[in-house]
Amino acid sequence: MTTDPWGRVDDDGTVYVRTGDGERVVGSWQAGAPEEALAFYRNKYDALVTQVELLEKRLRSTDLSASTAMSAIEKLRESVTDANAVGDLESLLDRLDRLTERAQERKVEQKQAQEQARGQAREVKERIVAEAERVATETTHWKSGGERMLQLIEEWKKAPRADRPTEQALWKRMSAARNSFSKRRKAYFANLDQQREGVRVEKERIVAEAEALSGSTDWGPTARAYRDLMQRWKASGRADRASEDKLWARFKAAQDTFFDARNATFAERDAELRVNAEAKEKILEQAREEIPAISDPRRARARLRDFQEAWEEAGELPRDTRDRLEGAFRQIEDGVRKAEEAEWERTNPEARARAKDTVDQLSTAIQGLEAKLEKARAAGDDRRIKEHEAALEARRSWLAEAERALNEMS
């Protein structure tokens, strides 16, 4: 009989392995020496050891899932328990027990990590849903809002998954937000289309009125009518782009037809009136020389009337010189009017009477102050002397001004 610390080969070739429960037959060896039989079955044991070591390494150094590890452990345990091998099978089972404990720990860790990941996924998706709901209820920038909604959908797809009930509840809100945004956008553009149609109808009426006026030769009222039509055009809003462009082209063509005709007529008329401008230039030059040189306002007014009559007889002015020449002539008229007003103020009897009264009052006041000053000097009252001297100085100055004004009126 050939023996080994963990097994033996009987004389009849039966091979045994020693376990905690006693010996167990693992095989029979008929060909070759008993030592070869033990070596053969020890090799089988070594193969099991290798499998256990590999599983230990995987569980220690990789992210092997707990469920996969448990399945591998149980499968290997069955292989070790019923193994036809010679070796320390009990120690292998102990190692598998420790692996089971480690797998159980990993199961708890993975469950915790999974719950944490699901919690983080829930937070991410709740944020996505909350923003989608905000976009759905608040935004009025439809293009950027639609683009952001699509981005949020893509973010949802790429985000990690939460637990199934949470996923379903959040997706229901996400879908509702997307549908709500789409409905609001459709309603807005439907209303916008309706408004634009109303604007188009109004601008059709404006264009029709503009085209009806394009041949008018009633220049002033028609020009004002076109300004009113332009105000109505601006106030009516915008139609759709195609209609807006076509209607504006018609409106502008009608307007241009009228104003081109008016400008041509005015240009022809201005050319005819150029001789009037030359005549009024001469009148203006002569009036500028003569009127300021006349000191008597009445004579200046009489001479101005001559110039005014000549000015009216010269006729209408061209538009490009009208404001300049009319303004210059009005300055001459204003100068004569101001000279007349100044002369009236100077010779007005009432004004002269008021000036004379002022002179008399100041003279009387000065005489009274001179008498008071003599009394103060006689009494040696320095304070009174200073007061009366100051009052006299002021009133003598006022009297000089009043007398000068009165002399100018004489």
Side-chain angles (χ1 to χ4, degrees), residues 199-209 233 247 250:
V199 172
R200 187 194 65 77
V201 172
E202 172 61 16
K203 287 191 172 181
E204 285 277 7
R205 286 195 290 265
I206 294 172
V207 169
E209 292 180 40
W233 177 281
L247 289 170
R250 288 172 56 193

Side-chain angles (χ1 to χ4, degrees), residues 48 51-52 55 69-83 89-90 92-101:
L48 291 172
Q51 293 183 52
V52 172
L55 186 55
M70 290 295 292
S71 177
I73 291 169
E74 291 305 316
K75 186 175 181 180
L76 193 51
R77 187 187 298 279
E78 292 177 2
S79 298
V80 172
T81 300
D82 300 326
L89 296 176
E90 294 292 335
L92 287 181
L93 291 173
D94 290 342
R95 290 169 70 178
L96 290 172
D97 288 340
R98 290 193 294 275
L99 280 176
T100 300
E101 293 174 0

Side-chain angles (χ1 to χ4, degrees), residues 33-44:
E35 290 78 4
E36 293 176 354
L38 289 175
F40 174 77
Y41 285 101
R42 279 197 298 269
N43 286 337
K44 287 190 172 185

Side-chain angles (χ1 to χ4, degrees), residues 181-193:
F181 176 78
S182 297
K183 288 180 180 178
R184 284 183 61 232
R185 181 169 56 181
K186 289 178 181 178
Y188 171 82
F189 283 108
N191 183 56
L192 184 62
D193 289 341

Side-chain angles (χ1 to χ4, degrees), residues 107-371:
K107 183 178 181 180
V108 173
E109 293 170 357
Q110 289 177 340
K111 184 176 181 180
Q112 292 175 344
Q114 188 179 47
E115 290 176 353
Q116 184 178 4
R118 286 177 175 172
Q120 292 173 346
R122 181 172 59 252
E123 292 177 0
V124 169
K125 290 194 170 178
E126 283 178 345
R127 177 189 60 77
I128 294 172
V129 170
E131 185 172 355
E133 290 172 336
R134 183 191 62 77
V135 171
T137 58
E138 297 179 8
T139 188
T140 55
H141 295 84
W142 304 110
K143 185 176 184 297
S144 60
E147 291 172 352
R148 184 56 184 148
M149 189 65 76
L150 291 176
Q151 290 173 355
L152 291 172
I153 294 295
E154 290 301 315
E155 289 180 21
W156 173 282
K157 292 178 181 179
K158 295 177 182 178
R161 292 182 63 82
D163 59 278
R164 187 179 181 83
T166 300
E167 282 281 326
Q168 291 177 341
L170 289 175
W171 176 250
K172 186 176 181 180
R173 288 171 56 191
M174 185 75 179
S175 180
R178 181 172 59 177
N179 292 337
S180 174
F181 176 78
S182 297
K183 288 180 180 178
R184 284 183 61 232
R185 181 169 56 181
K186 289 178 181 178
Y188 171 82
F189 283 108
N191 183 56
L192 184 62
D193 289 341
Q194 185 177 2
Q195 291 177 356
R196 285 176 173 171
E197 176 59 19
V199 172
R200 187 194 65 77
V201 172
E202 172 61 16
K203 287 191 172 181
E204 285 277 7
R205 286 195 290 265
I206 294 172
V207 169
E209 292 180 40
E211 290 173 338
L213 291 171
S214 63
S216 173
T217 57
D218 193 2
W219 308 119
T222 305
R224 290 191 291 273
Y226 270 112
R227 285 195 294 272
D228 294 340
L229 288 174
M230 178 59 76
Q231 292 300 319
R232 285 172 55 191
W233 177 281
K234 293 178 179 178
S236 62
R238 290 187 62 84
D240 62 277
R241 180 65 177 271
S243 298
E244 187 79 15
D245 291 344
K246 292 179 181 178
L247 289 170
W248 173 248
R250 288 172 56 193
F251 182 86
K252 190 172 185 304
Q255 184 176 246
D256 289 347
T257 298
F258 168 77
F259 282 104
D260 287 347
R262 188 189 71 159
N263 292 339
T265 300
F266 283 180
E268 182 179 354
R269 181 183 300 174
D270 287 347
E272 295 173 355
L273 297 178
R274 196 68 60 193
V275 65
N276 299 349
E278 295 174 358
K280 287 193 174 183
E281 287 277 11
K282 293 178 180 179
I283 295 171
L284 181 63
E285 183 179 354
Q286 186 177 358
R288 281 172 171 169
E289 291 178 359
E290 293 187 18
I291 297 296
I294 302 174
S295 58
D296 184 354
R298 285 175 294 181
R299 289 180 56 233
R301 168 60 66 181
R303 186 65 181 122
L304 176 63
R305 290 194 188 97
D306 296 336
F307 285 119
Q308 288 172 329
E309 291 175 2
W311 188 270
E312 292 299 325
E313 290 174 0
E316 187 178 352
L317 287 167
R319 289 176 301 166
D320 58 349
T321 61
R322 183 182 304 151
D323 292 342
R324 179 179 63 84
L325 294 177
E326 292 288 355
F329 194 74
R330 277 197 298 273
Q331 288 180 355
I332 295 174
E333 292 175 326
D334 290 343
V336 172
R337 177 181 53 79
K338 290 178 181 178
E340 288 175 330
E341 291 175 354
E343 178 66 12
W344 166 253
E345 288 293 331
R346 190 179 70 80
T347 60
N348 184 3
E350 293 181 0
R352 289 185 62 211
R354 287 195 298 271
K356 180 67 169 59
D357 187 56
T358 300
V359 169
D360 294 342
Q361 290 179 9
L362 287 171
S363 298
T364 302
I366 289 171
Q367 291 174 3
L369 285 170
E370 287 174 342

